[in-house]
Amino acid sequence: MDLAELRADFLRPSELAHLARFPALVDLPVILTLRRPEDGGQWRGAEADRRRLLRAALGPGGRPYAFLDLEHDLADAELEGAARARGCRLIRSYHNFRGVPPGLAARMRRMARAAGARGDLPKAAVRVRGSRDQRRLAEAFRELEGVEKILLGMGEYGSFSSILAGKLGSWLTYSWPGRRPASPGFAPPSEAQLNPRTLLELYRFRRIGPDTAVYGVVGHPIAHSRSPHLHNPGFAALGLDAVYVPFLADRLPAFLRAAEALGVRGLSVTVPFKQQALRLALRAGLQAAKGGAQPGGAGLHPGGESPLLSAAGAEALAVGAANTLIAEGAGGRRWRAANTDVAGFLAPLEREAPAVLQPGTEATVLGAGGAARAVVHALTRQGLNVLVLNRTPARARALAHRFGCAWGGLDTQGAARLPDYSALIVQTTTVGLDGAGDPLPGYRFRGEEIVYDLVYGPEPTPFLLRARAAGCRTIAGEEMLRAQASEQFRLYTGRDLPDLRQ
Ligand code: ATR
């Protein structure tokens, strides 16, 4: 059911005189809210005037408000009586802008008991400041299963609670099409992400229920992630009851506890958590093995799991990083680490330029960060001779030593060695992410190189454009993004990710 909320505290004084007429102007049941400042509202007048306006708004005649949002600590028998007389249900709301308080579930239970006796709806809106708060909020949702309530986490860390309202049993959630957040502290990941259209079309909000399988991507930052735009349409095309949610996190261990409480089944892991994700999964697996329970964690599983997952688990160990975590067991208390970056990197090459993957081919990798590790692992395993060039030469050396490659700086000297390793050039630095910059301006393409840039965006990077202009065959980062997402989708669902590109 759709509702409209009138935030009367945002109105001009001249408009406030006409509150009673508003419900007749809209085609939806309306919630009336005139929020005082201590609860994040814009109302600056006297409390007595606020209540007088609310009473007037509930006055006889015309179409009544369907709901009146009143702060949980407000006792005003006259106002409450006026609302009930008009068939207007009360929402009793509690706000906390400082964070998710301990004991939120107990507080909510008390509110629910008091509210329930009168047919009211209890509501809590709490600011989620980071992953510890995410854990508290997720655990509160779990403890409050079956309790009729409105519960939502404010801020980007809490946006999952809006998307998953139907799964977590929040009676409603709030969304708005405008640019300005309707309530201070309630800033979604980006305006575009949680506007009503995105909720309905990307996340299929109306279809999310208690049985919906939850997947997501965890990182910091996360708002720019393209993964929800790949996985959610895939679920929709296959008619799967599943949703894929972006999770901003600041501490991976606390976030994973939150994810367990939410019943998340699988996670894509991105910057900066890929290495830690592998470590945590390994540690949990070791502890489980010591405790005599079913061992889990990449490479520690004795068998019985899907061959796909054990192969991707072995990749995670080889790369030293996981881009995927799969929840294991009923409560999802443990995570299996996997890496689909390797397969995702290789797939476009196998499709577009398989000849370059012959043993002995000379290749250069620009960069020595997390993405470069997966690339260098993939190439050296295929038997290519690899040169690693990086702005910080010590990092190039460390990576090259691990995988037995040549190395150098991302400078004139390093570039001078490049012609000997130029059948394939893979660009893994972050240069070009913002649509500008060239990691190797001094290098002149001969036109024979295969050039693969991992940076993805709506436009090819300047580096890729320059290579293309010189006649090189090029592969854009979008290809790898899709390919690694397809591998993840297979791990999540056992199905192929449908290619929905026009
Ligand atoms: P990712 O996981 O995406 O690879 P990362 O681990 O932070 O991210 O690695 C970023 C890579 O981009 C590194 O190789 C980094 O070089 P340094 O090791 O010298 O930091 C490279 N990089 C980032 N900004 C760069 C710039 N302006 N010029 C050249 N290389 C840059």
Side-chain angles (χ1 to χ4, degrees), residues 1-5 26-31 63 66-67 171-173 175 196-197 199-200 205-206:
M1 173 174 56
D2 289 336
L3 303 167
E5 181 186 45
V26 273
D27 238 0
L28 299 167
V30 182
I31 305 172
R63 187 167 174 254
F67 296 88
W171 199 82
L172 61 75
T173 198
S175 176
R197 174 163 286 175
L199 267 183
L200 294 176
F205 181 81
R206 291 194 207 289

mmCIF file with all atom_site columns, all heavy atoms in Angstrom, residues 1-5 26-31 63 66-67 171-173 175 196-197 199-200 205-206:
data_model
loop_
_atom_site.group_PDB
_atom_site.id
_atom_site.type_symbol
_atom_site.label_atom_id
_atom_site.label_alt_id
_atom_site.label_comp_id
_atom_site.label_asym_id
_atom_site.label_entity_id
_atom_site.label_seq_id
_atom_site.pdbx_PDB_ins_code
_atom_site.Cartn_x
_atom_site.Cartn_y
_atom_site.Cartn_z
_atom_site.occupancy
_atom_site.B_iso_or_equiv
_atom_site.pdbx_formal_charge
_atom_site.auth_seq_id
_atom_site.auth_comp_id
_atom_site.auth_asym_id
_atom_site.auth_atom_id
_atom_site.pdbx_PDB_model_num
ATOM 1   N N   . MET A 1 1   ? 0.839   -1.198 0.000   1.00 0.00 ? 1   MET A N   1
ATOM 2   C CA  . MET A 1 1   ? 0.000   0.000  0.000   1.00 0.00 ? 1   MET A CA  1
ATOM 3   C C   . MET A 1 1   ? 0.878   1.254  0.000   1.00 0.00 ? 1   MET A C   1
ATOM 4   O O   . MET A 1 1   ? 1.891   1.302  0.689   1.00 0.00 ? 1   MET A O   1
ATOM 5   C CB  . MET A 1 1   ? -0.855  -0.002 1.272   1.00 0.00 ? 1   MET A CB  1
ATOM 6   C CG  . MET A 1 1   ? -1.639  1.270  1.452   1.00 0.00 ? 1   MET A CG  1
ATOM 7   S SD  . MET A 1 1   ? -2.799  1.258  2.828   1.00 0.00 ? 1   MET A SD  1
ATOM 8   C CE  . MET A 1 1   ? -1.781  0.867  4.212   1.00 0.00 ? 1   MET A CE  1
ATOM 9   N N   . ASP A 1 2   ? 0.531   2.233  -0.780  1.00 0.00 ? 2   ASP A N   1
ATOM 10  C CA  . ASP A 1 2   ? 1.252   3.497  -0.775  1.00 0.00 ? 2   ASP A CA  1
ATOM 11  C C   . ASP A 1 2   ? 0.545   4.503  0.130   1.00 0.00 ? 2   ASP A C   1
ATOM 12  O O   . ASP A 1 2   ? -0.676  4.535  0.192   1.00 0.00 ? 2   ASP A O   1
ATOM 13  C CB  . ASP A 1 2   ? 1.329   4.080  -2.186  1.00 0.00 ? 2   ASP A CB  1
ATOM 14  C CG  . ASP A 1 2   ? 2.259   3.281  -3.067  1.00 0.00 ? 2   ASP A CG  1
ATOM 15  O OD1 . ASP A 1 2   ? 3.149   2.608  -2.514  1.00 0.00 ? 2   ASP A OD1 1
ATOM 16  O OD2 . ASP A 1 2   ? 2.097   3.329  -4.292  1.00 0.00 ? 2   ASP A OD2 1
ATOM 17  N N   . LEU A 1 3   ? 1.356   5.287  0.812   1.00 0.00 ? 3   LEU A N   1
ATOM 18  C CA  . LEU A 1 3   ? 0.837   6.351  1.664   1.00 0.00 ? 3   LEU A CA  1
ATOM 19  C C   . LEU A 1 3   ? 1.573   7.633  1.303   1.00 0.00 ? 3   LEU A C   1
ATOM 20  O O   . LEU A 1 3   ? 2.665   7.582  0.746   1.00 0.00 ? 3   LEU A O   1
ATOM 21  C CB  . LEU A 1 3   ? 1.148   6.050  3.139   1.00 0.00 ? 3   LEU A CB  1
ATOM 22  C CG  . LEU A 1 3   ? 0.657   4.738  3.746   1.00 0.00 ? 3   LEU A CG  1
ATOM 23  C CD1 . LEU A 1 3   ? 1.330   4.509  5.094   1.00 0.00 ? 3   LEU A CD1 1
ATOM 24  C CD2 . LEU A 1 3   ? -0.845  4.797  3.947   1.00 0.00 ? 3   LEU A CD2 1
ATOM 25  N N   . ALA A 1 4   ? 0.988   8.755  1.666   1.00 0.00 ? 4   ALA A N   1
ATOM 26  C CA  . ALA A 1 4   ? 1.707   10.026 1.552   1.00 0.00 ? 4   ALA A CA  1
ATOM 27  C C   . ALA A 1 4   ? 1.906   10.551 2.963   1.00 0.00 ? 4   ALA A C   1
ATOM 28  O O   . ALA A 1 4   ? 1.060   10.327 3.841   1.00 0.00 ? 4   ALA A O   1
ATOM 29  C CB  . ALA A 1 4   ? 0.889   11.017 0.741   1.00 0.00 ? 4   ALA A CB  1
ATOM 30  N N   . GLU A 1 5   ? 3.054   11.186 3.202   1.00 0.00 ? 5   GLU A N   1
ATOM 31  C CA  . GLU A 1 5   ? 3.236   11.845 4.491   1.00 0.00 ? 5   GLU A CA  1
ATOM 32  C C   . GLU A 1 5   ? 3.299   13.344 4.249   1.00 0.00 ? 5   GLU A C   1
ATOM 33  O O   . GLU A 1 5   ? 4.058   13.799 3.379   1.00 0.00 ? 5   GLU A O   1
ATOM 34  C CB  . GLU A 1 5   ? 4.533   11.391 5.179   1.00 0.00 ? 5   GLU A CB  1
ATOM 35  C CG  . GLU A 1 5   ? 4.706   12.071 6.541   1.00 0.00 ? 5   GLU A CG  1
ATOM 36  C CD  . GLU A 1 5   ? 6.036   11.786 7.229   1.00 0.00 ? 5   GLU A CD  1
ATOM 37  O OE1 . GLU A 1 5   ? 7.081   11.849 6.557   1.00 0.00 ? 5   GLU A OE1 1
ATOM 38  O OE2 . GLU A 1 5   ? 6.026   11.505 8.439   1.00 0.00 ? 5   GLU A OE2 1
ATOM 39  N N   . VAL A 1 26  ? -5.221  14.609 -2.104  1.00 0.00 ? 26  VAL A N   1
ATOM 40  C CA  . VAL A 1 26  ? -4.390  13.502 -2.594  1.00 0.00 ? 26  VAL A CA  1
ATOM 41  C C   . VAL A 1 26  ? -5.197  12.219 -2.639  1.00 0.00 ? 26  VAL A C   1
ATOM 42  O O   . VAL A 1 26  ? -6.141  12.026 -1.886  1.00 0.00 ? 26  VAL A O   1
ATOM 43  C CB  . VAL A 1 26  ? -3.139  13.277 -1.707  1.00 0.00 ? 26  VAL A CB  1
ATOM 44  C CG1 . VAL A 1 26  ? -1.990  14.147 -2.122  1.00 0.00 ? 26  VAL A CG1 1
ATOM 45  C CG2 . VAL A 1 26  ? -3.457  13.437 -0.255  1.00 0.00 ? 26  VAL A CG2 1
ATOM 46  N N   . ASP A 1 27  ? -4.708  11.362 -3.506  1.00 0.00 ? 27  ASP A N   1
ATOM 47  C CA  . ASP A 1 27  ? -5.414  10.117 -3.782  1.00 0.00 ? 27  ASP A CA  1
ATOM 48  C C   . ASP A 1 27  ? -5.002  8.981  -2.864  1.00 0.00 ? 27  ASP A C   1
ATOM 49  O O   . ASP A 1 27  ? -5.333  7.842  -3.125  1.00 0.00 ? 27  ASP A O   1
ATOM 50  C CB  . ASP A 1 27  ? -5.059  9.708  -5.225  1.00 0.00 ? 27  ASP A CB  1
ATOM 51  C CG  . ASP A 1 27  ? -6.303  9.577  -6.048  1.00 0.00 ? 27  ASP A CG  1
ATOM 52  O OD1 . ASP A 1 27  ? -7.371  9.805  -5.469  1.00 0.00 ? 27  ASP A OD1 1
ATOM 53  O OD2 . ASP A 1 27  ? -6.202  9.250  -7.244  1.00 0.00 ? 27  ASP A OD2 1
ATOM 54  N N   . LEU A 1 28  ? -4.229  9.296  -1.846  1.00 0.00 ? 28  LEU A N   1
ATOM 55  C CA  . LEU A 1 28  ? -3.659  8.255  -0.983  1.00 0.00 ? 28  LEU A CA  1
ATOM 56  C C   . LEU A 1 28  ? -4.022  8.528  0.455   1.00 0.00 ? 28  LEU A C   1
ATOM 57  O O   . LEU A 1 28  ? -4.298  9.673  0.816   1.00 0.00 ? 28  LEU A O   1
ATOM 58  C CB  . LEU A 1 28  ? -2.123  8.277  -1.081  1.00 0.00 ? 28  LEU A CB  1
ATOM 59  C CG  . LEU A 1 28  ? -1.500  8.022  -2.445  1.00 0.00 ? 28  LEU A CG  1
ATOM 60  C CD1 . LEU A 1 28  ? -0.018  8.392  -2.418  1.00 0.00 ? 28  LEU A CD1 1
ATOM 61  C CD2 . LEU A 1 28  ? -1.669  6.553  -2.807  1.00 0.00 ? 28  LEU A CD2 1
ATOM 62  N N   . PRO A 1 29  ? -4.002  7.496  1.313   1.00 0.00 ? 29  PRO A N   1
ATOM 63  C CA  . PRO A 1 29  ? -4.110  7.760  2.747   1.00 0.00 ? 29  PRO A CA  1
ATOM 64  C C   . PRO A 1 29  ? -2.923  8.629  3.174   1.00 0.00 ? 29  PRO A C   1
ATOM 65  O O   . PRO A 1 29  ? -1.819  8.425  2.677   1.00 0.00 ? 29  PRO A O   1
ATOM 66  C CB  . PRO A 1 29  ? -3.999  6.369  3.381   1.00 0.00 ? 29  PRO A CB  1
ATOM 67  C CG  . PRO A 1 29  ? -4.188  5.387  2.273   1.00 0.00 ? 29  PRO A CG  1
ATOM 68  C CD  . PRO A 1 29  ? -3.805  6.073  1.002   1.00 0.00 ? 29  PRO A CD  1
ATOM 69  N N   . VAL A 1 30  ? -3.155  9.581  4.067   1.00 0.00 ? 30  VAL A N   1
ATOM 70  C CA  . VAL A 1 30  ? -2.089  10.540 4.401   1.00 0.00 ? 30  VAL A CA  1
ATOM 71  C C   . VAL A 1 30  ? -1.707  10.431 5.877   1.00 0.00 ? 30  VAL A C   1
ATOM 72  O O   . VAL A 1 30  ? -2.569  10.320 6.750   1.00 0.00 ? 30  VAL A O   1
ATOM 73  C CB  . VAL A 1 30  ? -2.539  11.982 4.095   1.00 0.00 ? 30  VAL A CB  1
ATOM 74  C CG1 . VAL A 1 30  ? -1.403  12.962 4.390   1.00 0.00 ? 30  VAL A CG1 1
ATOM 75  C CG2 . VAL A 1 30  ? -2.994  12.127 2.653   1.00 0.00 ? 30  VAL A CG2 1
ATOM 76  N N   . ILE A 1 31  ? -0.398  10.487 6.108   1.00 0.00 ? 31  ILE A N   1
ATOM 77  C CA  . ILE A 1 31  ? 0.140   10.588 7.468   1.00 0.00 ? 31  ILE A CA  1
ATOM 78  C C   . ILE A 1 31  ? 0.382   12.070 7.740   1.00 0.00 ? 31  ILE A C   1
ATOM 79  O O   . ILE A 1 31  ? 1.021   12.742 6.927   1.00 0.00 ? 31  ILE A O   1
ATOM 80  C CB  . ILE A 1 31  ? 1.498   9.863  7.599   1.00 0.00 ? 31  ILE A CB  1
ATOM 81  C CG1 . ILE A 1 31  ? 1.392   8.409  7.146   1.00 0.00 ? 31  ILE A CG1 1
ATOM 82  C CG2 . ILE A 1 31  ? 2.042   9.972  9.018   1.00 0.00 ? 31  ILE A CG2 1
ATOM 83  C CD1 . ILE A 1 31  ? 2.756   7.701  7.061   1.00 0.00 ? 31  ILE A CD1 1
ATOM 84  N N   . ARG A 1 63  ? -12.172 14.888 4.145   1.00 0.00 ? 63  ARG A N   1
ATOM 85  C CA  . ARG A 1 63  ? -11.553 13.567 4.254   1.00 0.00 ? 63  ARG A CA  1
ATOM 86  C C   . ARG A 1 63  ? -10.518 13.609 5.381   1.00 0.00 ? 63  ARG A C   1
ATOM 87  O O   . ARG A 1 63  ? -9.675  14.503 5.414   1.00 0.00 ? 63  ARG A O   1
ATOM 88  C CB  . ARG A 1 63  ? -10.884 13.256 2.912   1.00 0.00 ? 63  ARG A CB  1
ATOM 89  C CG  . ARG A 1 63  ? -10.344 11.865 2.795   1.00 0.00 ? 63  ARG A CG  1
ATOM 90  C CD  . ARG A 1 63  ? -10.013 11.603 1.309   1.00 0.00 ? 63  ARG A CD  1
ATOM 91  N NE  . ARG A 1 63  ? -9.359  10.320 1.185   1.00 0.00 ? 63  ARG A NE  1
ATOM 92  C CZ  . ARG A 1 63  ? -8.056  10.177 0.940   1.00 0.00 ? 63  ARG A CZ  1
ATOM 93  N NH1 . ARG A 1 63  ? -7.281  11.229 0.784   1.00 0.00 ? 63  ARG A NH1 1
ATOM 94  N NH2 . ARG A 1 63  ? -7.537  8.976  0.850   1.00 0.00 ? 63  ARG A NH2 1
ATOM 95  N N   . ALA A 1 66  ? -5.298  9.641  7.588   1.00 0.00 ? 66  ALA A N   1
ATOM 96  C CA  . ALA A 1 66  ? -5.337  8.215  7.934   1.00 0.00 ? 66  ALA A CA  1
ATOM 97  C C   . ALA A 1 66  ? -4.472  7.928  9.153   1.00 0.00 ? 66  ALA A C   1
ATOM 98  O O   . ALA A 1 66  ? -4.750  7.012  9.929   1.00 0.00 ? 66  ALA A O   1
ATOM 99  C CB  . ALA A 1 66  ? -4.878  7.374  6.745   1.00 0.00 ? 66  ALA A CB  1
ATOM 100 N N   . PHE A 1 67  ? -3.385  8.712  9.292   1.00 0.00 ? 67  PHE A N   1
ATOM 101 C CA  . PHE A 1 67  ? -2.448  8.502  10.399  1.00 0.00 ? 67  PHE A CA  1
ATOM 102 C C   . PHE A 1 67  ? -2.012  9.846  10.960  1.00 0.00 ? 67  PHE A C   1
ATOM 103 O O   . PHE A 1 67  ? -1.881  10.819 10.230  1.00 0.00 ? 67  PHE A O   1
ATOM 104 C CB  . PHE A 1 67  ? -1.184  7.763  9.929   1.00 0.00 ? 67  PHE A CB  1
ATOM 105 C CG  . PHE A 1 67  ? -1.447  6.367  9.426   1.00 0.00 ? 67  PHE A CG  1
ATOM 106 C CD1 . PHE A 1 67  ? -1.776  6.136  8.094   1.00 0.00 ? 67  PHE A CD1 1
ATOM 107 C CD2 . PHE A 1 67  ? -1.365  5.279  10.291  1.00 0.00 ? 67  PHE A CD2 1
ATOM 108 C CE1 . PHE A 1 67  ? -2.026  4.863  7.624   1.00 0.00 ? 67  PHE A CE1 1
ATOM 109 C CE2 . PHE A 1 67  ? -1.606  3.999  9.831   1.00 0.00 ? 67  PHE A CE2 1
ATOM 110 C CZ  . PHE A 1 67  ? -1.937  3.784  8.498   1.00 0.00 ? 67  PHE A CZ  1
ATOM 111 N N   . TRP A 1 171 ? 6.670   -1.905 9.044   1.00 0.00 ? 171 TRP A N   1
ATOM 112 C CA  . TRP A 1 171 ? 5.337   -1.720 8.458   1.00 0.00 ? 171 TRP A CA  1
ATOM 113 C C   . TRP A 1 171 ? 5.367   -0.779 7.266   1.00 0.00 ? 171 TRP A C   1
ATOM 114 O O   . TRP A 1 171 ? 4.599   -0.903 6.338   1.00 0.00 ? 171 TRP A O   1
ATOM 115 C CB  . TRP A 1 171 ? 4.410   -1.189 9.548   1.00 0.00 ? 171 TRP A CB  1
ATOM 116 C CG  . TRP A 1 171 ? 2.970   -1.355 9.260   1.00 0.00 ? 171 TRP A CG  1
ATOM 117 C CD1 . TRP A 1 171 ? 2.230   -2.493 9.451   1.00 0.00 ? 171 TRP A CD1 1
ATOM 118 C CD2 . TRP A 1 171 ? 2.070   -0.376 8.735   1.00 0.00 ? 171 TRP A CD2 1
ATOM 119 N NE1 . TRP A 1 171 ? 0.941   -2.271 9.076   1.00 0.00 ? 171 TRP A NE1 1
ATOM 120 C CE2 . TRP A 1 171 ? 0.810   -0.968 8.634   1.00 0.00 ? 171 TRP A CE2 1
ATOM 121 C CE3 . TRP A 1 171 ? 2.217   0.958  8.345   1.00 0.00 ? 171 TRP A CE3 1
ATOM 122 C CZ2 . TRP A 1 171 ? -0.300  -0.289 8.169   1.00 0.00 ? 171 TRP A CZ2 1
ATOM 123 C CZ3 . TRP A 1 171 ? 1.108   1.646  7.871   1.00 0.00 ? 171 TRP A CZ3 1
ATOM 124 C CH2 . TRP A 1 171 ? -0.152  1.017  7.788   1.00 0.00 ? 171 TRP A CH2 1
ATOM 125 N N   . LEU A 1 172 ? 6.256   0.201  7.310   1.00 0.00 ? 172 LEU A N   1
ATOM 126 C CA  . LEU A 1 172 ? 6.422   1.078  6.157   1.00 0.00 ? 172 LEU A CA  1
ATOM 127 C C   . LEU A 1 172 ? 7.837   1.600  6.144   1.00 0.00 ? 172 LEU A C   1
ATOM 128 O O   . LEU A 1 172 ? 8.591   1.456  7.103   1.00 0.00 ? 172 LEU A O   1
ATOM 129 C CB  . LEU A 1 172 ? 5.429   2.247  6.177   1.00 0.00 ? 172 LEU A CB  1
ATOM 130 C CG  . LEU A 1 172 ? 5.422   3.253  7.313   1.00 0.00 ? 172 LEU A CG  1
ATOM 131 C CD1 . LEU A 1 172 ? 6.582   4.232  7.247   1.00 0.00 ? 172 LEU A CD1 1
ATOM 132 C CD2 . LEU A 1 172 ? 4.137   4.097  7.240   1.00 0.00 ? 172 LEU A CD2 1
ATOM 133 N N   . THR A 1 173 ? 8.206   2.196  5.021   1.00 0.00 ? 173 THR A N   1
ATOM 134 C CA  . THR A 1 173 ? 9.455   2.952  4.987   1.00 0.00 ? 173 THR A CA  1
ATOM 135 C C   . THR A 1 173 ? 9.203   4.250  4.235   1.00 0.00 ? 173 THR A C   1
ATOM 136 O O   . THR A 1 173 ? 8.135   4.439  3.647   1.00 0.00 ? 173 THR A O   1
ATOM 137 C CB  . THR A 1 173 ? 10.598  2.147  4.378   1.00 0.00 ? 173 THR A CB  1
ATOM 138 O OG1 . THR A 1 173 ? 11.833  2.775  4.765   1.00 0.00 ? 173 THR A OG1 1
ATOM 139 C CG2 . THR A 1 173 ? 10.526  2.101  2.850   1.00 0.00 ? 173 THR A CG2 1
ATOM 140 N N   . SER A 1 175 ? 10.468  7.367  1.551   1.00 0.00 ? 175 SER A N   1
ATOM 141 C CA  . SER A 1 175 ? 11.247  7.636  0.357   1.00 0.00 ? 175 SER A CA  1
ATOM 142 C C   . SER A 1 175 ? 10.717  8.910  -0.246  1.00 0.00 ? 175 SER A C   1
ATOM 143 O O   . SER A 1 175 ? 9.558   9.255  -0.043  1.00 0.00 ? 175 SER A O   1
ATOM 144 C CB  . SER A 1 175 ? 11.067  6.458  -0.612  1.00 0.00 ? 175 SER A CB  1
ATOM 145 O OG  . SER A 1 175 ? 11.722  6.707  -1.822  1.00 0.00 ? 175 SER A OG  1
ATOM 146 N N   . PRO A 1 196 ? 11.724  6.950  -4.819  1.00 0.00 ? 196 PRO A N   1
ATOM 147 C CA  . PRO A 1 196 ? 10.684  5.911  -4.947  1.00 0.00 ? 196 PRO A CA  1
ATOM 148 C C   . PRO A 1 196 ? 10.859  5.046  -6.188  1.00 0.00 ? 196 PRO A C   1
ATOM 149 O O   . PRO A 1 196 ? 10.676  3.834  -6.142  1.00 0.00 ? 196 PRO A O   1
ATOM 150 C CB  . PRO A 1 196 ? 9.395   6.719  -5.010  1.00 0.00 ? 196 PRO A CB  1
ATOM 151 C CG  . PRO A 1 196 ? 9.713   8.024  -4.370  1.00 0.00 ? 196 PRO A CG  1
ATOM 152 C CD  . PRO A 1 196 ? 11.155  8.289  -4.647  1.00 0.00 ? 196 PRO A CD  1
ATOM 153 N N   . ARG A 1 197 ? 11.265  5.673  -7.275  1.00 0.00 ? 197 ARG A N   1
ATOM 154 C CA  . ARG A 1 197 ? 11.394  4.898  -8.513  1.00 0.00 ? 197 ARG A CA  1
ATOM 155 C C   . ARG A 1 197 ? 12.492  3.835  -8.366  1.00 0.00 ? 197 ARG A C   1
ATOM 156 O O   . ARG A 1 197 ? 12.320  2.690  -8.795  1.00 0.00 ? 197 ARG A O   1
ATOM 157 C CB  . ARG A 1 197 ? 11.705  5.855  -9.668  1.00 0.00 ? 197 ARG A CB  1
ATOM 158 C CG  . ARG A 1 197 ? 11.998  5.125  -10.948 1.00 0.00 ? 197 ARG A CG  1
ATOM 159 C CD  . ARG A 1 197 ? 11.908  6.016  -12.132 1.00 0.00 ? 197 ARG A CD  1
ATOM 160 N NE  . ARG A 1 197 ? 10.525  6.319  -12.449 1.00 0.00 ? 197 ARG A NE  1
ATOM 161 C CZ  . ARG A 1 197 ? 10.145  7.152  -13.383 1.00 0.00 ? 197 ARG A CZ  1
ATOM 162 N NH1 . ARG A 1 197 ? 11.044  7.811  -14.080 1.00 0.00 ? 197 ARG A NH1 1
ATOM 163 N NH2 . ARG A 1 197 ? 8.879   7.343  -13.629 1.00 0.00 ? 197 ARG A NH2 1
ATOM 164 N N   . LEU A 1 199 ? 13.590  2.475  -5.592  1.00 0.00 ? 199 LEU A N   1
ATOM 165 C CA  . LEU A 1 199 ? 13.095  1.438  -4.674  1.00 0.00 ? 199 LEU A CA  1
ATOM 166 C C   . LEU A 1 199 ? 12.196  0.451  -5.412  1.00 0.00 ? 199 LEU A C   1
ATOM 167 O O   . LEU A 1 199 ? 12.305  -0.756 -5.255  1.00 0.00 ? 199 LEU A O   1
ATOM 168 C CB  . LEU A 1 199 ? 12.301  2.073  -3.535  1.00 0.00 ? 199 LEU A CB  1
ATOM 169 C CG  . LEU A 1 199 ? 13.025  2.413  -2.245  1.00 0.00 ? 199 LEU A CG  1
ATOM 170 C CD1 . LEU A 1 199 ? 12.030  2.954  -1.231  1.00 0.00 ? 199 LEU A CD1 1
ATOM 171 C CD2 . LEU A 1 199 ? 13.778  1.235  -1.666  1.00 0.00 ? 199 LEU A CD2 1
ATOM 172 N N   . LEU A 1 200 ? 11.309  0.999  -6.241  1.00 0.00 ? 200 LEU A N   1
ATOM 173 C CA  . LEU A 1 200 ? 10.325  0.138  -6.905  1.00 0.00 ? 200 LEU A CA  1
ATOM 174 C C   . LEU A 1 200 ? 10.928  -0.620 -8.082  1.00 0.00 ? 200 LEU A C   1
ATOM 175 O O   . LEU A 1 200 ? 10.670  -1.799 -8.262  1.00 0.00 ? 200 LEU A O   1
ATOM 176 C CB  . LEU A 1 200 ? 9.139   0.973  -7.404  1.00 0.00 ? 200 LEU A CB  1
ATOM 177 C CG  . LEU A 1 200 ? 8.291   1.623  -6.314  1.00 0.00 ? 200 LEU A CG  1
ATOM 178 C CD1 . LEU A 1 200 ? 7.214   2.499  -6.935  1.00 0.00 ? 200 LEU A CD1 1
ATOM 179 C CD2 . LEU A 1 200 ? 7.655   0.556  -5.432  1.00 0.00 ? 200 LEU A CD2 1
ATOM 180 N N   . PHE A 1 205 ? 10.825  -3.215 -4.573  1.00 0.00 ? 205 PHE A N   1
ATOM 181 C CA  . PHE A 1 205 ? 10.434  -3.071 -3.165  1.00 0.00 ? 205 PHE A CA  1
ATOM 182 C C   . PHE A 1 205 ? 9.143   -3.796 -2.817  1.00 0.00 ? 205 PHE A C   1
ATOM 183 O O   . PHE A 1 205 ? 9.041   -4.440 -1.773  1.00 0.00 ? 205 PHE A O   1
ATOM 184 C CB  . PHE A 1 205 ? 10.310  -1.571 -2.854  1.00 0.00 ? 205 PHE A CB  1
ATOM 185 C CG  . PHE A 1 205 ? 9.931   -1.277 -1.438  1.00 0.00 ? 205 PHE A CG  1
ATOM 186 C CD1 . PHE A 1 205 ? 10.881  -1.280 -0.441  1.00 0.00 ? 205 PHE A CD1 1
ATOM 187 C CD2 . PHE A 1 205 ? 8.608   -0.998 -1.101  1.00 0.00 ? 205 PHE A CD2 1
ATOM 188 C CE1 . PHE A 1 205 ? 10.540  -1.015 0.880   1.00 0.00 ? 205 PHE A CE1 1
ATOM 189 C CE2 . PHE A 1 205 ? 8.253   -0.735 0.211   1.00 0.00 ? 205 PHE A CE2 1
ATOM 190 C CZ  . PHE A 1 205 ? 9.225   -0.745 1.208   1.00 0.00 ? 205 PHE A CZ  1
ATOM 191 N N   . ARG A 1 206 ? 8.164   -3.721 -3.704  1.00 0.00 ? 206 ARG A N   1
ATOM 192 C CA  . ARG A 1 206 ? 6.859   -4.304 -3.367  1.00 0.00 ? 206 ARG A CA  1
ATOM 193 C C   . ARG A 1 206 ? 6.906   -5.821 -3.249  1.00 0.00 ? 206 ARG A C   1
ATOM 194 O O   . ARG A 1 206 ? 6.039   -6.423 -2.637  1.00 0.00 ? 206 ARG A O   1
ATOM 195 C CB  . ARG A 1 206 ? 5.831   -3.953 -4.443  1.00 0.00 ? 206 ARG A CB  1
ATOM 196 C CG  . ARG A 1 206 ? 5.453   -2.494 -4.478  1.00 0.00 ? 206 ARG A CG  1
ATOM 197 C CD  . ARG A 1 206 ? 4.186   -2.330 -5.321  1.00 0.00 ? 206 ARG A CD  1
ATOM 198 N NE  . ARG A 1 206 ? 4.090   -1.022 -5.929  1.00 0.00 ? 206 ARG A NE  1
ATOM 199 C CZ  . ARG A 1 206 ? 3.848   0.092  -5.269  1.00 0.00 ? 206 ARG A CZ  1
ATOM 200 N NH1 . ARG A 1 206 ? 3.695   0.053  -3.963  1.00 0.00 ? 206 ARG A NH1 1
ATOM 201 N NH2 . ARG A 1 206 ? 3.780   1.243  -5.893  1.00 0.00 ? 206 ARG A NH2 1
#
